[in-house]
Amino acid sequence: MAKRLNEAVEIRWHGRGGQGAKTACLLLADCAFNSGKHVQGFPEYGPERQGAPITAYNRITDEHYKVHSNIYKPDYVVVVDETLLKSVDVTSGLKDSGALIINTKKSPEEIRRIVGYEGRIGVIDAEKISMETLGRNFPNTPMLAAVVKVSKVIDQKKFVDDMQESFEHKFRRKPQLIEGNMKALVKALEEVKVG
């Protein structure tokens, strides 16, 4: 999606407490910042608990941006947990020129029939990828990569390099997690499908 200078790319994340949507949102903000962008990355807090629906937001621009609010008309919506489609209007305000990016085994066409969104739909089986690469269901790493691939908000090579550095710092005492997370990122970049 081509944006005018300093027009924000706005992303809204939907997930459940404990799935890492907030963490992925903040990692995207870090990567965008490292790419020279001005960023905002923040969760919407309420009475969240493990498994409860949560929302987080990213706003990414080329220059300083003075708007600080929740995002009501996002360019991209990321759904980390497909079960939220039954209880949350995830496409509320989503621009037709943007995209819905969802963790699912379904095709873009199947999701389109469920949600009625006419714009682009990106699908990725983040659970399968995380199980294959990490041995546990941590969908946030593959979802983060899917957002970068679909939105093109950050250069993919720069993103992969930044995430390698981030994981090396975060998991320096658990090197097996570095390799697994990097494999999850690369696999997700390859496997996300857009329709």
Side-chain angles (χ1 to χ4, degrees), residues 177-189:
L177 294 179
I178 298 168
E179 182 181 354
N181 274 285
M182 289 308 298
K183 284 181 179 176
L185 279 179
V186 171
K187 197 167 183 66
L189 289 169

Side-chain angles (χ1 to χ4, degrees), residues 3 11 23 32 50 77 85 89 105 112-113 115 122 149 152 162 165 169 175 181 189 192:
K3 290 281 191 180
I11 302 168
T23 299
Q50 190 79 10
V77 168
L85 298 180
D89 182 5
K105 293 174 176 43
R112 189 175 320 283
R113 285 192 295 273
V115 299
K149 176 80 174 204
K152 298 178 176 43
D162 283 349
E165 189 176 310
H169 175 74
N181 274 285
L189 289 169
V192 66

Side-chain angles (χ1 to χ4, degrees), residues 21-40:
K22 179 182 98 169
T23 299
C25 168
L26 297 177
L27 282 170
L28 179 60
D30 286 346
C31 288
F33 179 79
N34 290 339
S35 295
K37 305 282 186 180
H38 290 260
V39 299
Q40 297 173 18

